[in-house]
Each structure stands twice: as C-alpha cells, then as structure tokens.
Amino acid sequence: MPVPSSRRAALAASLVLGVLAGMVVQPGRAVAAAPGVTWLADTELDPAALYFVSYDGLVNNNSYGDGIVSHAGHQYAAWYTSTREAVLARRQLPSGPWQLLRLPHRLSVDDSHNSIALGISPGDGRLHVAMDTHDSEIHYVRSEAGLVSAPWSRSWEAGRFGAVQRSLDSVGLGAITYPQFRTAPGNRLQLSYRTGRSRNGTNELAEYDGSTWRRLGRWSSATGSYSANGATSTTRNMYLHGLTYGPGGRLHAAFTWREGNSAVTCNSGGLTNHDTGYVHSDDQGRTWRNNAGTVVGTTNSGNLVSISSPGLVVDPLPPNHGLINQESQDVDSTGNPHVVVSYVPGRFTSCVTSYASARRANGRAFHLFRDSSGGWRKVELPVPLHATGRSQIVLDAADNAYVVLPYGRIVTASRASGYTDWTLRFDGSGLNAFGEVIVDRTRVESDGVLSILYQRASTGATPSPIRVVDFRLG
C-alpha cells in the first residue's frame, strides 16, 4: 500500500527496523534515485504445505531452489503438500487462477535440501522436474513436448508427465545434491549439480539438446591445500551463488569455498566457508576463465577449477565470519555480474563461535559487483539480516538492483548512484514469511514483475500456507 508523502519522514526511522506491517514504501526526495516497488497481488498455492525445519531451512523454500519459473505467458511453481506429495501448479499471467496437479512421488526424508527444481527446455517446450535428492540419486520427471510452449492448448494434468526416473532418461548421475536447471544458448537446457559431499565434492554439468541428455562432467575440483588459523585443509567443495547466462552467451559463476578441515576456523561453531570467487565460460561450461580472462579449468579433464587456480578470489574473507554459501547473483545488460553475499563483519567479531546466532545478531548483506573497468566493488546494505538465511538479488531492465532479504523484505539501489543508495522499499512483516524465499527470475526478465514464493512461519511440523506475492519493479 502506498505511503502518503506527509508520513514519509515520520516513518523513515521505523522502516529501518522493519516494524511496519507489509508496507510498500514509495521514494522520497532524499532517496529518489532508488527504485520503488508496487504491490500487485498475493495468491495462495496451498493452505497447508509441508513444514519442518532442517539445516535452518524449509524444503519448500530454500532460496537456492528453482521452485518457480515463467515461460510463454504462464508461471509454474512446485512444492510438497502436508502429505509429502510433490505438486506442480501453473497459472496464466498476469493474474489467472492456479491449476494444480500431483506427481506420483512423495518426499522420502525430512531434509530441507531435497527441494524441487524446475527447468524449461525451449527447443521442445517441456517442463523438467528434479527433486528429493541430497547425496542420493535424482528423482526426475519431464512433461510431454509442447506443454509449456503452447500451454493454452493443453490441459494441466499428471498424465502429461512421464514416469518418475532415477536418472536423466537413462543417463545416470550417481548420488547428487542441489540440482538446478539453466536454459542455455542454442535452445539447450543444462542441469548443474554437486557430486560427493559437503567439504569434499565437485560441481558437474549435464546438458539436454532438445531430445537427449548427456553428462558433460566435472568442472570443479575438491583437492588442493588451503591454510588458515594454523591448520591446513586438503579437501573442500565449491558452493555456487548461481550459474547465470548474460549478454553474448557468457556463463557466469560466483562461489565460495567450504573447507573439509574444521580446524581452519577459529571455533568449531563457525563455518569453514571463505572468500568469494568468480569464473566464467564462453562455451557453455566447457572452458572456464577467471576475471582476467585466463583459462583456469576445462570440464571433464585433468585441469579443473580448484583452490590452486590463479585469480579466482574477487572478495577475500577468512573462514571466521559466518559467510553463507549459495546466496545469489545476476548479470546486468553490459555483461557484468552482481552478487549478494552475507556474513558477520569484523567490526562485530573476528571469530564467529555460532554462525546461526551470530548471523541473526550481527549479520549483514553486501552487494558485490564488477564495474566497467573490470574491478570489483562492494557496498554494505543498510538493513540488518536478523536471520540465518540467504538473500536474493535481481536486476531490472535498467540495471537497477533489488535484493530480497529473509522474511521477504525488499531493498533497492539505482545504477545511477553506483548502487550506493540502498533503501528499504518493502518491509515484509505482513507476509509472516519463514525466512528464505524463492524468486522467479524469468518473470523479472520477461515483464518486469518480481514474483516471490514464500511459506508462512509455523512451529514444529504444523503445515502452513505457501504463497506467491507479486511486485511491479521500478
């Protein structure tokens, strides 16, 4: 709801603390450059979705999930019901009613990692679903051809999907975690996933060309030596903040490392995550280069991206600050990446002893981005996290930045200011969101609307509503 201009000054201090109930804040004179957001609608997918907290998250709403996407004027969402069934929904945009179907699969374990990822292969118009995996074989299902490319001509029913498989059409992946789909140039669809485990795992890619899947292979390495706090770690895994195609078909990947030896931290209650790194690929994930353009790895070869590769770190940070993994990124119209990272700054402590409580007390989010000269800059957002979880960043058509913080709060900054005018535009309290949320990046690109999939906070294992709230950007 808009705020009358006469009240803006009086509300400014309270907005920083986020105490207003679901308030959309329009620009005032002092912060006119920072873009606003306009509330459009808030719709319900399920009044009683599955609810349990594990690893500080919900299986329906871990922000690194891909549970909401748009294509050809329709939007698609996925979640698990209170009876653990996997459900897919679609609606005609901008405001059609949601249609639901149930897949023949139930969540196998109470593990928030086992979320549902959606992908669309534009070449044949199929919806792809990967779900219910954490260091285990995938559960995969795909729709008939044309279901999402011509949705107005197809009924929405489970019979339009094939059987649930434990492979990608007979292409075995083994035990995997974090499946995420990305549409690639040439009408291809790629699946990013981790093999191995946390602290000792590798990133891999598979690719669908419109008819068949094939495994491209590993592109990151778990080996090499890293030393901190008087200890050395020899295994790790690369946690991606995203895989994003930008102008010219360049694939961008920002990441953090998590070390296998917990002794590299100052305290066992912290996280072994350290540094923000960056690589890119100009051949759809076959060859990887650092920020300077030097080749640092080749997929499915003896030369993988590793801790020893030169020039990877664009924002150094030791493993003592509760740096979260798998936050988010986007790419602007000039091809420069933008990343949101969050941790406990050194002004509060140089040794986090409990990452969850320290992040809730003193965690801050930072906008990290590459400028036109190729250098990286970082700006701290002025709104405290007050949460353990992750944030999401998206850019509009004018390259203005929007970060969705935990609980659905939205802060924005303008490109014109050099991303220095970060301003709270929606305080989120009216949503009663659990914490992390998922955003539909494809709809931001197609029509400038930010759709946020969120689940309302509950207790124990009591089911709660899962909903989608829409905002017009700018």
Side-chain angles (χ1 to χ4, degrees):
M1 64 191 84
V3 181
S5 58
S6 61
R7 295 182 58 204
R8 289 176 188 145
L11 292 175
S14 61
L15 285 170
V16 173
L17 298 176
V19 298
L20 297 182
M23 187 72 73
V24 174
V25 185
Q26 300 299 334
R29 285 190 299 273
V31 290
V37 297
T38 303
W39 177 296
L40 298 178
D42 189 346
T43 57
E44 187 168 83
L45 293 169
D46 187 340
L50 183 64
Y51 189 98
F52 61 84
V53 179
S54 76
Y55 298 96
D56 304 308
L58 300 181
V59 70
N60 288 330
N61 257 74
N62 270 323
S63 66
Y64 50 75
D66 289 328
I68 183 167
V69 296
S70 297
H71 186 76
H74 284 67
Q75 190 171 57
Y76 303 87
W79 69 97
Y80 297 104
T81 69
S82 60
T83 54
R84 311 179 73 85
E85 293 172 290
V87 172
L88 302 179
R90 77 171 181 184
R91 65 171 172 175
Q92 184 174 358
L93 295 174
S95 56
W98 288 102
Q99 300 171 295
L100 277 61
L101 66 82
R102 296 172 186 261
L103 294 175
H105 181 76
R106 282 185 165 86
L107 180 67
S108 61
V109 62
D110 282 356
D111 185 334
S112 64
H113 292 81
N114 293 40
S115 55
I116 304 176
L118 301 179
I120 292 170
S121 51
D124 60 2
R126 296 182 192 268
L127 180 64
H128 301 252
V129 185
M131 56 188 166
D132 195 9
T133 177
H134 181 198
D135 296 327
S136 58
E137 290 186 337
I138 196 171
H139 291 88
Y140 166 75
V141 64
R142 69 178 188 177
S143 76
E144 65 186 24
L147 182 63
V148 296
S149 56
W152 51 86
S153 65
R154 310 290 179 95
S155 60
W156 186 245
E157 53 189 270
R160 298 198 180 275
F161 289 80
V164 177
Q165 309 173 45
R166 303 308 301 274
S167 66
L168 300 178
D169 296 338
S170 299
V171 176
L173 305 179
I176 73 166
T177 308
Y178 307 125
Q180 293 182 315
F181 293 101
R182 292 294 181 268
T183 301
N187 284 331
R188 298 174 184 269
L189 179 69
Q190 294 180 325
L191 181 69
S192 168
Y193 55 95
R194 187 188 75 195
T195 51
R197 301 182 65 86
S198 173
R199 303 171 184 251
N200 190 8
T202 59
N203 289 333
E204 296 203 28
L205 287 171
E207 187 172 84
Y208 179 76
D209 64 5
S211 60
T212 58
W213 281 99
R214 68 187 181 108
R215 190 171 179 172
L216 300 183
R218 295 187 301 156
W219 64 272
S220 74
S221 171
T223 61
S225 294
Y226 173 82
S227 298
N229 294 294
T232 298
S233 176
T234 58
T235 64
R236 67 201 46 80
N237 71 286
M238 174 194 286
Y239 274 119
L240 294 172
H241 293 309
L243 280 173
T244 309
Y245 278 97
R250 174 168 288 183
L251 179 59
H252 302 261
F255 61 88
T256 183
W257 295 110
R258 174 173 290 182
E259 295 300 322
N261 183 0
S262 60
V264 299
T265 62
C266 60
N267 187 280
S268 60
L271 290 172
T272 63
N273 298 346
H274 63 93
D275 297 327
T276 299
Y278 167 77
V279 291
H280 65 264
S281 173
D282 290 324
D283 55 7
Q284 300 180 31
R286 276 72 169 176
T287 306
W288 298 92
R289 299 174 182 269
N290 63 17
N291 190 61
T294 303
V295 174
V296 291
T298 303
T299 298
N300 197 30
S301 76
N303 179 33
L304 304 177
V305 180
S306 76
I307 193 76
S308 303
S309 300
L312 299 188
V313 175
V314 296
D315 186 46
L317 188 74
N320 298 322
H321 291 275
L323 174 69
I324 202 67
N325 47 282
Q326 293 164 284
E327 208 130 19
S328 69
Q329 66 176 37
D330 205 348
V331 179
D332 66 29
S333 63
T334 66
N336 283 311
H338 295 245
V339 188
V340 62
V341 299
S342 61
Y343 57 88
V344 179
R347 67 178 181 272
F348 296 110
T349 183
S350 59
C351 183
V352 165
T353 58
S354 172
Y355 80 90
S357 59
R359 286 176 59 84
R360 285 192 291 267
N362 295 309
R364 297 294 188 273
F366 296 83
H367 176 215
L368 180 66
F369 63 100
R370 191 174 64 189
D371 62 24
S372 58
S373 68
W376 287 76
R377 300 170 58 191
K378 185 166 69 172
V379 178
E380 180 177 333
L381 276 60
V383 181
L385 288 181
H386 295 314
T388 301
R390 302 164 178 86
S391 302
Q392 295 284 292
I393 185 169
V394 298
L395 304 174
D396 66 17
D399 291 336
N400 298 311
Y402 304 75
V403 170
V404 186
L405 296 167
Y407 315 117
R409 296 165 293 168
I410 303 173
V411 290
T412 78
S414 67
R415 179 183 180 181
S417 73
Y419 306 103
T420 59
D421 57 353
W422 286 100
T423 305
L424 182 68
R425 291 304 189 204
F426 176 68
D427 85 314
S429 58
L431 302 180
N432 190 29
F434 163 79
E436 292 188 12
V437 300
I438 305 173
V439 301
D440 182 351
R441 299 178 178 279
T442 48
R443 193 178 183 195
V444 172
E445 295 171 3
S446 64
D447 60 10
V449 172
L450 175 64
S451 289
I452 301 173
L453 178 69
Y454 71 97
Q455 189 163 353
R456 287 189 169 159
S458 185
T459 57
T462 303
S464 69
I466 190 165
R467 304 179 64 90
V468 176
V469 60
D470 299 324
F471 295 89
R472 173 72 61 185
L473 300 183

